[in-house]
Amino acid sequence: QVQLVESGGGLVQAGGSLRLSCAASGRSFNRYTMGWFRQAPGKERESVAIISASGGTTYYPDSVKDRFTMSRDNAKKMVSLQMNNLKPEDTAVYYCAASTWFRSPPVLTDYNYWGQGTQVTVSS
């Protein structure tokens, strides 16, 4: 089992940057695929980035590709999401999640462990 806590959200102007972090506790963190997901009001939860257990493979949907970068540090049990050139449509609650599967594109129901979320608001 793994527990996840996100941090780093906030308010930023369009074109700006934010870095989200997710701290994990529990065993076998280095065996989990990790993902960042987001949910805007009235919309379904969607993936924005996933990274394989080793960190060697990542996936980004077209909506964030070339703007977002996900990384992990297995020794520190941390994942991060660097978000650049933010747009108002990136406004959402961002969640960190863990899965024992790696599927690209990701399947939400594969992710058994979720953090509480952190709000990202991008003003125009």
mmCIF file of all heavy atoms in Angstrom, residues 7-41:
data_model
loop_
_atom_site.group_PDB
_atom_site.id
_atom_site.type_symbol
_atom_site.label_atom_id
_atom_site.label_comp_id
_atom_site.label_asym_id
_atom_site.label_seq_id
_atom_site.Cartn_x
_atom_site.Cartn_y
_atom_site.Cartn_z
ATOM 1 N N SER A 7 1.699 18.576 -3.278
ATOM 2 C CA SER A 7 1.952 19.955 -2.869
ATOM 3 C C SER A 7 2.387 20.749 -4.090
ATOM 4 O O SER A 7 2.728 20.173 -5.128
ATOM 5 C CB SER A 7 3.024 20.017 -1.777
ATOM 6 O OG SER A 7 4.247 19.481 -2.259
ATOM 7 N N GLY A 8 2.363 22.075 -3.945
ATOM 8 C CA GLY A 8 2.896 22.930 -4.997
ATOM 9 C C GLY A 8 1.876 23.643 -5.849
ATOM 10 O O GLY A 8 2.248 24.434 -6.729
ATOM 11 N N GLY A 9 0.593 23.394 -5.612
ATOM 12 C CA GLY A 9 -0.416 24.100 -6.398
ATOM 13 C C GLY A 9 -0.487 25.563 -6.024
ATOM 14 O O GLY A 9 0.163 26.026 -5.084
ATOM 15 N N GLY A 10 -1.272 26.313 -6.788
ATOM 16 C CA GLY A 10 -1.417 27.735 -6.502
ATOM 17 C C GLY A 10 -2.024 28.479 -7.660
ATOM 18 O O GLY A 10 -2.568 27.878 -8.594
ATOM 19 N N LEU A 11 -1.915 29.798 -7.581
ATOM 20 C CA LEU A 11 -2.445 30.691 -8.610
ATOM 21 C C LEU A 11 -1.288 31.238 -9.431
ATOM 22 O O LEU A 11 -0.303 31.724 -8.865
ATOM 23 C CB LEU A 11 -3.221 31.829 -7.945
ATOM 24 C CG LEU A 11 -3.715 32.961 -8.852
ATOM 25 C CD1 LEU A 11 -4.753 32.423 -9.829
ATOM 26 C CD2 LEU A 11 -4.301 34.089 -8.007
ATOM 27 N N VAL A 12 -1.423 31.174 -10.747
ATOM 28 C CA VAL A 12 -0.373 31.662 -11.630
ATOM 29 C C VAL A 12 -1.016 32.296 -12.850
ATOM 30 O O VAL A 12 -2.132 31.924 -13.242
ATOM 31 C CB VAL A 12 0.577 30.507 -12.034
ATOM 32 C CG1 VAL A 12 -0.148 29.449 -12.845
ATOM 33 C CG2 VAL A 12 1.806 31.013 -12.749
ATOM 34 N N GLN A 13 -0.329 33.247 -13.433
ATOM 35 C CA GLN A 13 -0.832 33.877 -14.649
ATOM 36 C C GLN A 13 -0.550 32.988 -15.862
ATOM 37 O O GLN A 13 0.399 32.189 -15.855
ATOM 38 C CB GLN A 13 -0.182 35.243 -14.847
ATOM 39 C CG GLN A 13 -0.673 36.298 -13.883
ATOM 40 C CD GLN A 13 -0.184 37.688 -14.245
ATOM 41 O OE1 GLN A 13 0.888 37.852 -14.826
ATOM 42 N NE2 GLN A 13 -0.954 38.700 -13.905
ATOM 43 N N ALA A 14 -1.351 33.158 -16.880
ATOM 44 C CA ALA A 14 -1.126 32.426 -18.121
ATOM 45 C C ALA A 14 0.288 32.681 -18.622
ATOM 46 O O ALA A 14 0.795 33.805 -18.569
ATOM 47 C CB ALA A 14 -2.152 32.849 -19.167
ATOM 48 N N GLY A 15 0.922 31.598 -19.086
ATOM 49 C CA GLY A 15 2.302 31.691 -19.528
ATOM 50 C C GLY A 15 3.313 31.380 -18.439
ATOM 51 O O GLY A 15 4.501 31.214 -18.730
ATOM 52 N N GLY A 16 2.835 31.314 -17.211
ATOM 53 C CA GLY A 16 3.727 31.045 -16.096
ATOM 54 C C GLY A 16 3.984 29.569 -15.880
ATOM 55 O O GLY A 16 3.548 28.724 -16.674
ATOM 56 N N SER A 17 4.692 29.270 -14.796
ATOM 57 C CA SER A 17 5.091 27.894 -14.493
ATOM 58 C C SER A 17 4.768 27.554 -13.051
ATOM 59 O O SER A 17 4.713 28.437 -12.184
ATOM 60 C CB SER A 17 6.598 27.716 -14.721
ATOM 61 O OG SER A 17 6.954 27.953 -16.066
ATOM 62 N N LEU A 18 4.540 26.280 -12.818
ATOM 63 C CA LEU A 18 4.384 25.722 -11.479
ATOM 64 C C LEU A 18 5.032 24.346 -11.458
ATOM 65 O O LEU A 18 5.094 23.661 -12.492
ATOM 66 C CB LEU A 18 2.906 25.574 -11.108
ATOM 67 C CG LEU A 18 2.142 26.775 -10.556
ATOM 68 C CD1 LEU A 18 0.676 26.395 -10.342
ATOM 69 C CD2 LEU A 18 2.746 27.294 -9.268
ATOM 70 N N ARG A 19 5.469 23.960 -10.287
ATOM 71 C CA ARG A 19 6.012 22.609 -10.096
ATOM 72 C C ARG A 19 5.241 21.931 -8.982
ATOM 73 O O ARG A 19 5.222 22.416 -7.848
ATOM 74 C CB ARG A 19 7.501 22.662 -9.767
ATOM 75 C CG ARG A 19 8.165 21.299 -9.696
ATOM 76 C CD ARG A 19 9.651 21.429 -9.427
ATOM 77 N NE ARG A 19 10.343 20.149 -9.401
ATOM 78 C CZ ARG A 19 10.817 19.521 -10.473
ATOM 79 N NH1 ARG A 19 10.679 20.063 -11.660
ATOM 80 N NH2 ARG A 19 11.433 18.377 -10.349
ATOM 81 N N LEU A 20 4.607 20.831 -9.325
ATOM 82 C CA LEU A 20 3.890 20.027 -8.337
ATOM 83 C C LEU A 20 4.781 18.898 -7.852
ATOM 84 O O LEU A 20 5.573 18.344 -8.631
ATOM 85 C CB LEU A 20 2.616 19.450 -8.934
ATOM 86 C CG LEU A 20 1.630 20.437 -9.556
ATOM 87 C CD1 LEU A 20 0.384 19.681 -10.039
ATOM 88 C CD2 LEU A 20 1.249 21.518 -8.583
ATOM 89 N N SER A 21 4.631 18.568 -6.594
ATOM 90 C CA SER A 21 5.357 17.446 -6.024
ATOM 91 C C SER A 21 4.384 16.490 -5.358
ATOM 92 O O SER A 21 3.310 16.895 -4.900
ATOM 93 C CB SER A 21 6.377 17.931 -4.990
ATOM 94 O OG SER A 21 7.365 18.728 -5.595
ATOM 95 N N CYS A 22 4.784 15.234 -5.308
ATOM 96 C CA CYS A 22 3.976 14.202 -4.649
ATOM 97 C C CYS A 22 4.924 13.343 -3.829
ATOM 98 O O CYS A 22 5.842 12.725 -4.382
ATOM 99 C CB CYS A 22 3.236 13.376 -5.686
ATOM 100 S SG CYS A 22 2.328 11.971 -5.030
ATOM 101 N N ALA A 23 4.705 13.328 -2.521
ATOM 102 C CA ALA A 23 5.503 12.523 -1.627
ATOM 103 C C ALA A 23 4.764 11.233 -1.306
ATOM 104 O O ALA A 23 3.573 11.262 -0.962
ATOM 105 C CB ALA A 23 5.796 13.294 -0.346
ATOM 106 N N ALA A 24 5.468 10.129 -1.420
ATOM 107 C CA ALA A 24 4.859 8.820 -1.172
ATOM 108 C C ALA A 24 5.421 8.209 0.094
ATOM 109 O O ALA A 24 6.586 8.420 0.450
ATOM 110 C CB ALA A 24 5.106 7.898 -2.356
ATOM 111 N N SER A 25 4.593 7.463 0.768
ATOM 112 C CA SER A 25 5.057 6.663 1.903
ATOM 113 C C SER A 25 4.491 5.262 1.738
ATOM 114 O O SER A 25 3.487 5.064 1.063
ATOM 115 C CB SER A 25 4.608 7.276 3.233
ATOM 116 O OG SER A 25 3.201 7.362 3.284
ATOM 117 N N GLY A 26 5.159 4.321 2.340
ATOM 118 C CA GLY A 26 4.757 2.931 2.184
ATOM 119 C C GLY A 26 5.831 2.153 1.459
ATOM 120 O O GLY A 26 6.865 2.683 1.071
ATOM 121 N N ARG A 27 5.539 0.900 1.239
ATOM 122 C CA ARG A 27 6.540 0.000 0.675
ATOM 123 C C ARG A 27 6.504 -0.032 -0.840
ATOM 124 O O ARG A 27 5.500 0.262 -1.466
ATOM 125 C CB ARG A 27 6.308 -1.429 1.198
ATOM 126 C CG ARG A 27 6.539 -1.573 2.664
ATOM 127 C CD ARG A 27 6.414 -3.034 3.072
ATOM 128 N NE ARG A 27 6.825 -3.246 4.441
ATOM 129 C CZ ARG A 27 6.902 -4.423 5.025
ATOM 130 N NH1 ARG A 27 6.596 -5.511 4.321
ATOM 131 N NH2 ARG A 27 7.259 -4.544 6.271
ATOM 132 N N SER A 28 7.620 -0.409 -1.399
ATOM 133 C CA SER A 28 7.713 -0.763 -2.820
ATOM 134 C C SER A 28 7.321 0.358 -3.764
ATOM 135 O O SER A 28 6.738 0.121 -4.822
ATOM 136 C CB SER A 28 6.846 -1.995 -3.115
ATOM 137 O OG SER A 28 7.235 -3.070 -2.311
ATOM 138 N N PHE A 29 7.640 1.608 -3.391
ATOM 139 C CA PHE A 29 7.317 2.742 -4.274
ATOM 140 C C PHE A 29 7.915 2.521 -5.659
ATOM 141 O O PHE A 29 7.282 2.860 -6.670
ATOM 142 C CB PHE A 29 7.851 4.035 -3.669
ATOM 143 C CG PHE A 29 7.732 5.224 -4.584
ATOM 144 C CD1 PHE A 29 6.503 5.836 -4.770
ATOM 145 C CD2 PHE A 29 8.841 5.739 -5.251
ATOM 146 C CE1 PHE A 29 6.371 6.940 -5.608
ATOM 147 C CE2 PHE A 29 8.727 6.830 -6.091
ATOM 148 C CZ PHE A 29 7.488 7.441 -6.268
ATOM 149 N N ASN A 30 9.093 1.937 -5.731
ATOM 150 C CA ASN A 30 9.773 1.792 -7.016
ATOM 151 C C ASN A 30 9.159 0.706 -7.887
ATOM 152 O O ASN A 30 9.660 0.420 -8.972
ATOM 153 C CB ASN A 30 11.272 1.544 -6.803
ATOM 154 C CG ASN A 30 11.527 0.282 -6.008
ATOM 155 O OD1 ASN A 30 10.597 -0.387 -5.566
ATOM 156 N ND2 ASN A 30 12.790 -0.035 -5.810
ATOM 157 N N ARG A 31 8.087 0.105 -7.443
ATOM 158 C CA ARG A 31 7.389 -0.882 -8.258
ATOM 159 C C ARG A 31 6.113 -0.329 -8.883
ATOM 160 O O ARG A 31 5.433 -1.027 -9.639
ATOM 161 C CB ARG A 31 7.049 -2.104 -7.410
ATOM 162 C CG ARG A 31 8.290 -2.826 -6.912
ATOM 163 C CD ARG A 31 7.944 -3.949 -5.948
ATOM 164 N NE ARG A 31 7.129 -4.987 -6.594
ATOM 165 C CZ ARG A 31 6.699 -6.063 -5.961
ATOM 166 N NH1 ARG A 31 6.964 -6.238 -4.690
ATOM 167 N NH2 ARG A 31 5.978 -6.969 -6.596
ATOM 168 N N TYR A 32 5.788 0.933 -8.552
ATOM 169 C CA TYR A 32 4.543 1.520 -9.026
ATOM 170 C C TYR A 32 4.744 2.436 -10.221
ATOM 171 O O TYR A 32 5.672 3.249 -10.249
ATOM 172 C CB TYR A 32 3.873 2.339 -7.928
ATOM 173 C CG TYR A 32 3.275 1.508 -6.819
ATOM 174 C CD1 TYR A 32 4.003 1.231 -5.659
ATOM 175 C CD2 TYR A 32 1.980 0.996 -6.928
ATOM 176 C CE1 TYR A 32 3.445 0.464 -4.644
ATOM 177 C CE2 TYR A 32 1.426 0.237 -5.908
ATOM 178 C CZ TYR A 32 2.175 -0.021 -4.778
ATOM 179 O OH TYR A 32 1.625 -0.778 -3.773
ATOM 180 N N THR A 33 3.866 2.309 -11.200
ATOM 181 C CA THR A 33 3.680 3.371 -12.178
ATOM 182 C C THR A 33 3.003 4.529 -11.462
ATOM 183 O O THR A 33 2.059 4.326 -10.693
ATOM 184 C CB THR A 33 2.779 2.889 -13.329
ATOM 185 O OG1 THR A 33 3.451 1.873 -14.058
ATOM 186 C CG2 THR A 33 2.411 4.026 -14.255
ATOM 187 N N MET A 34 3.496 5.734 -11.729
ATOM 188 C CA MET A 34 2.916 6.916 -11.101
ATOM 189 C C MET A 34 2.289 7.808 -12.156
ATOM 190 O O MET A 34 2.773 7.903 -13.285
ATOM 191 C CB MET A 34 3.989 7.696 -10.345
ATOM 192 C CG MET A 34 4.632 6.925 -9.203
ATOM 193 S SD MET A 34 3.449 6.435 -7.934
ATOM 194 C CE MET A 34 2.915 8.051 -7.336
ATOM 195 N N GLY A 35 1.227 8.465 -11.758
ATOM 196 C CA GLY A 35 0.541 9.336 -12.707
ATOM 197 C C GLY A 35 0.095 10.635 -12.068
ATOM 198 O O GLY A 35 -0.114 10.703 -10.852
ATOM 199 N N TRP A 36 -0.030 11.642 -12.890
ATOM 200 C CA TRP A 36 -0.689 12.889 -12.532
ATOM 201 C C TRP A 36 -1.976 12.986 -13.347
ATOM 202 O O TRP A 36 -1.958 12.771 -14.571
ATOM 203 C CB TRP A 36 0.191 14.105 -12.823
ATOM 204 C CG TRP A 36 1.299 14.298 -11.848
ATOM 205 C CD1 TRP A 36 2.601 13.928 -11.995
ATOM 206 C CD2 TRP A 36 1.208 14.923 -10.557
ATOM 207 N NE1 TRP A 36 3.324 14.284 -10.882
ATOM 208 C CE2 TRP A 36 2.492 14.898 -9.983
ATOM 209 C CE3 TRP A 36 0.172 15.512 -9.830
ATOM 210 C CZ2 TRP A 36 2.772 15.435 -8.716
ATOM 211 C CZ3 TRP A 36 0.444 16.047 -8.590
ATOM 212 C CH2 TRP A 36 1.727 16.009 -8.043
ATOM 213 N N PHE A 37 -3.030 13.325 -12.652
ATOM 214 C CA PHE A 37 -4.330 13.466 -13.267
ATOM 215 C C PHE A 37 -4.911 14.813 -12.828
ATOM 216 O O PHE A 37 -4.459 15.378 -11.821
ATOM 217 C CB PHE A 37 -5.265 12.332 -12.834
ATOM 218 C CG PHE A 37 -4.773 10.975 -13.242
ATOM 219 C CD1 PHE A 37 -3.789 10.314 -12.498
ATOM 220 C CD2 PHE A 37 -5.279 10.337 -14.364
ATOM 221 C CE1 PHE A 37 -3.321 9.065 -12.880
ATOM 222 C CE2 PHE A 37 -4.836 9.083 -14.752
ATOM 223 C CZ PHE A 37 -3.849 8.458 -14.006
ATOM 224 N N ARG A 38 -5.904 15.282 -13.550
ATOM 225 C CA ARG A 38 -6.548 16.532 -13.152
ATOM 226 C C ARG A 38 -8.052 16.456 -13.407
ATOM 227 O O ARG A 38 -8.505 15.702 -14.258
ATOM 228 C CB ARG A 38 -5.949 17.726 -13.891
ATOM 229 C CG ARG A 38 -6.236 17.762 -15.385
ATOM 230 C CD ARG A 38 -5.481 18.896 -16.050
ATOM 231 N NE ARG A 38 -5.741 18.963 -17.488
ATOM 232 C CZ ARG A 38 -5.086 19.761 -18.331
ATOM 233 N NH1 ARG A 38 -4.110 20.559 -17.872
ATOM 234 N NH2 ARG A 38 -5.378 19.774 -19.620
ATOM 235 N N GLN A 39 -8.764 17.256 -12.631
ATOM 236 C CA GLN A 39 -10.209 17.312 -12.796
ATOM 237 C C GLN A 39 -10.669 18.749 -12.628
ATOM 238 O O GLN A 39 -10.461 19.346 -11.566
ATOM 239 C CB GLN A 39 -10.917 16.402 -11.800
ATOM 240 C CG GLN A 39 -12.404 16.277 -12.050
ATOM 241 C CD GLN A 39 -13.020 15.110 -11.319
ATOM 242 O OE1 GLN A 39 -12.475 14.590 -10.346
ATOM 243 N NE2 GLN A 39 -14.172 14.662 -11.767
ATOM 244 N N ALA A 40 -11.261 19.277 -13.677
ATOM 245 C CA ALA A 40 -11.831 20.623 -13.644
ATOM 246 C C ALA A 40 -13.306 20.517 -13.275
ATOM 247 O O ALA A 40 -13.928 19.463 -13.486
ATOM 248 C CB ALA A 40 -11.657 21.297 -14.989
ATOM 249 N N PRO A 41 -13.895 21.580 -12.750
ATOM 250 C CA PRO A 41 -15.315 21.542 -12.375
ATOM 251 C C PRO A 41 -16.195 21.140 -13.557
ATOM 252 O O PRO A 41 -16.063 21.678 -14.652
ATOM 253 C CB PRO A 41 -15.592 22.982 -11.944
ATOM 254 C CG PRO A 41 -14.278 23.496 -11.483
ATOM 255 C CD PRO A 41 -13.269 22.859 -12.385
#
